[in-house]
Amino acid sequence: MTVLGVSGVTTSSLLKAEEKKEGERKEKKRVLVPTLCEMCVNKCAAYAVVENGIVKKLDPNPHFPKSRNMLCARGNAGIHALYDPDRLKYPMIRIGEKGEGKFKRVSWEEAYDAILNGTDKFKGLKQIVDEEKDNRSTIAYCAGEGMAEHTFKSFMADKFGSTNFVNHASICLQSTISGYALTIGSYGLDDLENAKYVIMAGANRAEAIVTPDTMDLFKRTRGRGAKLVVVDPRYTNTAAQADRWVPIKVGTDLAFVLALTYVAITETLYNKDFIKDNVDGFDEYKHYVVKEKKYSPEWAEKITGIDANTIREIAREFMANAPRSIYYQGRRTTWSRQDFQLRRAQAIFTAMAGSIDVKGGIVFGKKLPLGSHEINAPMYANAESRIDQKEAAIVGGSGTWIGFRNMIAEGRTPYPVRGMFVYKHNPMLSVPNTAKTRKMFEKLDLTVVIDTMPSDTVMMADVVLPECTYLEREDPVKSFGGVEPSIVLRQKVIDPMYETRPVIEIMRGLAEKISKPMFEISKKYDEDLQSELEDRPENEVYTEDGWDLADAYRKSQEEINEHLVVSQYGEKAYEILKEKGVFYPNMEKYFKKISANEYRYYPEEAKNYSVKALEKFDNSVYHDTCVDEKEIAALRRKFKTPSGKVQCNFKSLAKKGVDPMPTWRDEMYSEAPEGKFRFITGRHAQFTQNATLNNIMLLDLMRENYVWINKDEAEKRGIGYGDLVEVSSRTGKVRIKAYPTAKIIPGVLFYVHGFGSESTGLTFGYRNGASDNVIIEDVMEPVFGAAAMHETIVEIRKV
């Protein structure tokens, strides 16, 4: 990345400037500031140790029930996100060709002016929106996961008025969350702490989500009180902690779950009382699975490669340990085109055990309410509906990244999409088929990227707006639901460095710049606005009807957070939240240190299990034959589905061309041809997607990714450990070092996601290993349009 007008201020000189002069410094000023980690989605509580304005280290905060005094390697490495010498330091505008990485340093006012009016290199909002006759949807926007995502989204959707939003959901958990929500009313939380039997299929908790409940589960596996069965084409670090590893062919999980269901039905292992009162359409589903489709273990063995007797054993063990049995929902991306039906089948199978909304199963818990911060949104007459609504059977407000991207890249949108605002998201590395993503950005007239690092997507930007890191800002206060719900606050640890700003201030400044010019364009084309102006003074319409785009952002985030908490819980609660970083009712009474690293957050009787009776006894301790957990689990409850019950047969789906009951379709699965491989991707314990690809503290643990290949197949090809190989698909090719191993089944290649950046602005991440999305094909799961990440066929050759 080339930047003209670079400041001579370096990280080291800046840090020195923060310190007092030697003669003036009598003693160090050391403070602990409670905050919330942003190094992964878990949001663990932390204390920042600050001396003389410098963050020296990050320690775990014991007050948060979700993270329970734990901070992993990624959390500790958050300090490098703050002091990374490559981080974005000031606004920039493009002066070279699109994607060339040539920028000019500018002031915030100059950056906002370029967004509004354009330059000789790109067009601005005023010209684009005027030419599109005030169709605000011509400017799309996307966002990655984060606590301030709502702030950005509220501006783009409610204030600016665009309907074209895409976020991480369709390249992450879309089909999983939707499958569970439609079937049991919610994605739910897995109560791993109290489960006796867990099937973890495709998920890799030992590396993806290294949290206290993950560690607690592993302490009880391998004959110590809980049984963990890992179903995965790889022998992962999670499989290494399991009681049983079951290798499975890629893309066949649905067949496996349907066969488990077949066994539970034919051997009458399921919880009949729970099903009678809590499951809708079970008789139809039972007939469908057993009589009509005949999804037997023998049928599944031919598809999955899993022995039929193994399937029977797992089904029996799962039901025998119910209701403390969990078929783990999954915390990662969509795998195959049949993924939605897989998640529905998982949810129904778990429900058959009575393991929904009960201790040791999938729980719903409770969420503590917060006050409201109203957004006064104008009504736009000319904004069009989103472009990708017909790309899949059900396209929600988060869109379908592949469908949306392909429509623009292929020139088949119903109206022109000419610009995009990108916040905390890196689609150049995170969306399958990088070549098409590049083509999409090349077609846009205006791309504005808000980020902390010079990512591959920043390289495609016209205007770059530097956000400060999570340790330099206060984000919207957040309520985390569950059995032990709490409210947490990410506080500013130090003032923002360089010329960076939090997103609420970025939106405020942008809104103040573009608000009046955008209003003038709407006056030309918006007939509803024109009618209002005939009857009311212009200034009244502008201020009272939401056309002042900055009005929702004039209060600071600190003021907004205080209102959200105090309006619900009072001043004392806010004081506790500021002091501890965490608040929940009765916290001062409930919270207790038990031992050196063990804490109580809620007493058992106060935990938010819907089926409360299960808390009062445990079969492993009390052997009263008059009390049966299965009977307690069968108690009638209310699910947030149309029927108020677990939904087996969702007949309305048929109207959208979707099977109303989980169905295996042979035409949606194919084996890899001889000599080729199915490619799969996944996570590493010390890296978070591509957000950590320049973090030298983590790269010190693993400098680059390697491609896993079965050692026998590697030998046939003369590939040894560390050999450079080329992996290619129909969408692209990469070069990467090889890791021959017995820990992956034949016919499959794997490497970790989050490497292979092409951004020259990243000293440590540039061309470090290989990006998976260069070779992953843009295959969509047909129900929600999620990216089916494991449908790609690849070849490998030694270079």
Side-chain angles (χ1 to χ4, degrees):
M1 180 174 70
T2 303
V3 183
L4 297 183
V6 176
S7 168
V9 178
T10 65
T11 303
S12 59
S13 65
L14 185 86
L15 298 186
K16 289 176 182 176
E18 292 276 346
E19 298 178 356
K20 296 179 181 179
K21 293 179 181 178
E22 195 66 36
E24 298 175 355
R25 192 172 5 146
K26 300 296 184 183
E27 60 182 59
K28 290 183 178 180
K29 184 180 179 182
R30 186 176 187 271
V31 294
L32 292 180
V33 183
T35 189
L36 213 61
C37 183
E38 195 180 53
M39 296 301 287
C40 86
V41 300
N42 203 59
K43 309 289 186 298
C44 296
Y47 279 113
V49 180
V50 185
E51 292 182 2
N52 298 325
I54 308 298
V55 182
K56 294 292 187 178
K57 66 192 296 266
L58 298 168
D59 288 330
N61 178 349
H63 293 95
F64 190 17
K66 192 167 186 277
S67 57
R68 294 178 10 219
N69 205 37
M70 179 175 171
L71 200 63
C72 72
R74 283 179 285 182
N76 278 277
I79 198 166
H80 190 266
L82 173 64
Y83 295 126
D84 191 324
D86 292 334
R87 61 177 285 193
L88 297 171
K89 301 176 179 71
Y90 31 72
M92 300 184 295
I93 59 175
R94 176 169 66 85
I95 56 174
E97 298 305 308
K98 176 82 85 169
E100 192 178 5
K102 289 185 178 180
F103 297 96
K104 177 177 72 172
R105 176 182 178 178
V106 296
S107 67
W108 279 96
E109 179 59 29
E110 289 172 312
Y112 290 144
D113 186 74
I115 293 171
L116 178 63
N117 296 307
T119 70
D120 60 340
K121 291 291 184 180
F122 55 88
K123 296 180 179 179
L125 285 177
K126 191 159 66 174
Q127 182 180 354
I128 294 169
V129 176
D130 196 5
E131 289 175 354
E132 297 304 323
K133 295 181 169 48
D134 202 33
N135 172 20
R136 300 303 181 99
S137 299
T138 192
I139 305 297
Y141 62 109
C142 65
E145 189 276 333
M147 292 174 69
E149 178 186 350
H150 172 74
T151 304
F152 169 75
K153 186 179 177 182
S154 70
F155 174 77
M156 295 302 305
D158 299 328
K159 300 300 288 183
F160 184 81
S162 174
T163 60
N164 278 314
F165 174 58
V166 281
N167 79 345
H168 50 90
S170 66
I171 51 174
C172 189
L173 277 169
Q174 179 71 73
S175 60
T176 302
I177 291 176
S178 300
Y180 272 85
L182 286 172
T183 307
I184 65 173
S186 171
Y187 172 64
L189 300 169
D190 43 275
D191 187 14
L192 297 177
E193 182 181 358
N194 295 295
K196 293 180 179 178
Y197 196 92
V198 179
I199 299 174
M200 202 164 279
N204 188 8
R205 286 287 298 244
E207 298 186 81
I209 307 291
V210 187
T211 53
D213 57 340
T214 300
M215 306 308 292
D216 287 345
L217 174 64
F218 291 161
K219 290 174 186 175
R220 298 189 297 118
T221 59
R222 302 165 74 91
R224 292 170 291 184
K227 188 162 185 178
L228 173 63
V229 176
V230 169
V231 183
D232 201 298
R234 292 192 304 134
Y235 186 75
T236 62
N237 283 348
T238 302
Q241 301 297 327
D243 298 87
R244 186 172 201 165
W245 173 47
V246 181
I248 187 172
K249 291 182 181 178
V250 178
T252 66
D253 290 76
L254 175 58
F256 172 67
V257 181
L258 290 171
L260 293 177
T261 305
Y262 180 98
V263 174
I265 291 172
T266 55
E267 298 185 13
T268 321
L269 304 175
Y270 53 87
N271 190 322
K272 294 186 288 294
D273 291 333
F274 177 88
I275 285 174
K276 181 181 68 175
D277 290 334
N278 295 288
V279 180
D280 181 65
F282 182 70
D283 288 339
E284 298 163 280
Y285 188 56
K286 182 166 68 171
H287 180 269
Y288 190 72
V289 169
V290 175
K291 299 292 186 182
E292 188 172 338
K293 292 296 184 179
K294 300 181 175 62
Y295 290 138
S296 69
E298 287 73 22
W299 164 82
E301 179 179 343
K302 297 173 185 175
I303 298 170
T304 64
I306 301 173
D307 179 74
N309 288 330
T310 298
I311 296 173
R312 285 193 173 86
E313 288 173 15
I314 293 171
R316 291 165 184 164
E317 290 171 353
F318 188 91
M319 292 297 166
N321 285 280
R324 297 178 188 255
S325 300
I326 301 173
Y327 198 116
Y328 181 67
Q329 305 98 299
R331 282 286 297 263
R332 57 154 305 159
T333 184
T334 297
W335 300 331
S336 71
R337 288 184 290 169
Q338 304 198 70
D339 203 88
F340 170 71
Q341 296 294 5
L342 163 64
R343 308 305 175 176
R344 289 208 67 222
Q346 289 178 195
I348 294 170
F349 179 68
T350 306
M352 288 169 60
S355 299
I356 306 290
D357 197 24
V358 67
K359 188 173 185 177
I362 294 175
V363 295
F364 299 142
K366 176 185 176 181
K367 191 170 185 178
L368 301 174
L370 289 167
S372 61
H373 174 60
E374 300 298 330
I375 302 291
N376 186 17
M379 300 295 291
Y380 293 101
N382 299 318
E384 298 279 359
S385 57
R386 58 180 311 120
I387 61 170
D388 56 354
Q389 56 188 333
K390 295 182 180 178
E391 289 294 282
I394 305 168
V395 177
S398 295
T400 158
W401 240 119
I402 288 179
F404 173 87
R405 188 271 316 275
N406 287 1
M407 292 182 77
I408 297 173
E410 296 163 8
R412 52 184 182 88
T413 59
Y415 55 83
V417 174
R418 298 178 57 183
M420 175 171 273
F421 280 72
V422 182
Y423 173 60
K424 199 180 178 288
H425 198 17
N426 191 4
M428 284 294 293
L429 281 188
S430 60
V431 180
N433 197 337
T434 302
K436 275 192 179 177
T437 306
R438 178 179 295 276
K439 188 175 181 180
M440 177 196 75
F441 280 120
E442 288 173 345
K443 286 199 166 193
L444 297 177
D445 289 323
L446 175 66
T447 301
V448 179
V449 179
I450 304 168
D451 210 330
T452 61
M453 294 296 295
S455 68
D456 289 50
T457 301
V458 165
M459 295 297 105
M460 302 302 297
D462 298 306
V463 181
V464 180
L465 304 178
E467 185 187 28
C468 54
T469 68
Y470 73 96
L471 293 171
E472 301 164 288
R473 64 178 191 254
E474 181 160 322
D475 275 344
V477 63
K478 184 172 177 62
S479 178
F480 280 89
V483 173
E484 299 179 294
S486 55
I487 293 167
V488 289
L489 179 63
R490 174 179 289 146
Q491 296 186 80
K492 180 173 69 172
V493 174
I494 63 171
D495 289 333
M497 295 168 63
Y498 311 108
E499 296 174 25
T500 64
R501 295 178 178 178
V503 74
I504 190 170
E505 292 182 19
I506 294 174
M507 294 296 100
R508 182 191 307 147
L510 178 63
E512 288 173 345
K513 181 68 177 182
I514 71 172
S515 188
K516 282 288 178 69
M518 291 293 102
F519 182 63
E520 292 300 318
I521 293 171
S522 292
K523 283 164 60 178
K524 291 168 60 177
Y525 302 107
D526 194 311
E527 294 181 358
D528 292 347
L529 175 58
Q530 291 167 359
S531 297
E532 284 296 318
L533 292 172
E534 288 176 3
D535 301 327
R536 297 163 58 200
E538 180 173 312
N539 187 59
E540 178 184 301
V541 173
Y542 179 77
T543 56
E544 294 184 5
D545 292 6
W547 296 94
D548 177 359
L549 303 185
D551 59 8
Y553 312 100
R554 290 202 172 98
K555 287 187 176 180
S556 70
Q557 190 64 62
E558 289 81 358
E559 290 175 293
I560 295 170
N561 286 342
E562 183 174 1
H563 166 73
L564 296 181
V565 176
V566 171
S567 63
Q568 284 287 326
Y569 304 100
E571 294 283 352
K572 180 64 175 175
Y574 185 66
E575 290 172 10
I576 294 172
L577 181 63
K578 294 282 285 184
E579 179 189 352
K580 306 292 188 185
V582 182
F583 167 78
Y584 50 91
N586 297 310
M587 178 177 170
E588 292 177 300
K589 181 172 70 172
Y590 289 167
F591 181 80
K592 182 180 180 182
K593 186 171 184 176
I594 306 298
S595 63
N597 195 36
E598 185 181 2
Y599 300 83
R600 185 194 74 178
Y601 299 94
Y602 282 73
E604 283 296 308
E605 65 273 11
K607 291 180 181 179
N608 290 276
Y609 292 105
S610 297
V611 182
K612 303 291 286 187
L614 279 183
E615 297 177 34
K616 297 176 182 177
F617 91 107
D618 185 335
N619 270 345
S620 65
V621 179
Y622 304 106
H623 300 281
D624 188 341
T625 55
C626 296
V627 183
D628 187 349
E629 279 192 308
K630 296 181 188 298
E631 291 180 11
I632 298 171
L635 295 173
R636 177 76 176 100
R637 65 210 69 170
K638 180 75 173 176
F639 293 90
K640 295 178 181 178
T641 61
S643 65
K645 299 181 178 183
V646 174
Q647 203 88 27
C648 288
N649 190 353
F650 221 110
K651 297 177 181 178
S652 61
L653 289 176
K655 299 174 184 176
K656 296 182 176 292
V658 179
D659 290 312
M661 291 186 284
T663 303
W664 172 266
R665 292 199 168 273
D666 287 325
E667 68 273 19
M668 296 180 74
Y669 171 76
S670 61
E671 298 270 2
E674 184 68 29
K676 297 186 179 183
F677 299 81
R678 274 287 188 104
F679 177 71
I680 62 176
T681 183
R683 294 277 299 279
H684 185 276
Q686 276 75 56
F687 297 92
T688 304
Q689 318 298 16
N690 52 66
T692 53
L693 54 79
N694 203 61
N695 193 306
I696 196 63
M697 293 176 71
L698 299 175
L699 289 170
D700 190 48
L701 302 173
M702 188 179 84
R703 189 65 198 218
E704 59 187 308
N705 54 356
Y706 282 59
V707 60
W708 289 35
I709 179 173
N710 181 270
K711 66 181 184 65
D712 293 334
E713 295 184 313
E715 285 178 10
K716 292 176 187 176
R717 292 164 172 77
I719 297 172
Y721 176 79
D723 286 348
L724 191 65
V725 296
E726 182 180 87
V727 182
S728 59
S729 70
R730 290 187 294 185
T731 66
K733 58 187 177 183
V734 299
R735 289 192 171 187
I736 186 173
K737 292 176 184 175
Y739 174 56
T741 175
K743 295 190 292 186
I744 191 168
I745 65 172
V748 181
L749 297 183
F750 162 88
Y751 59 83
V752 172
H753 173 68
F755 289 81
S757 171
E758 291 292 326
S759 170
T760 54
L762 300 175
T763 301
F764 310 117
Y766 177 61
R767 293 189 175 175
N768 188 19
S771 168
D772 51 358
N773 281 309
V774 169
I775 61 170
I776 296 177
E777 296 179 19
D778 44 330
V779 177
M780 282 199 308
E781 174 274 324
V783 182
F784 285 89
M789 297 282 198
H790 291 175
E791 293 282 5
T792 299
I793 304 298
V794 298
E795 298 180 67
I796 186 171
R797 70 176 183 88
K798 185 175 178 180
V799 176

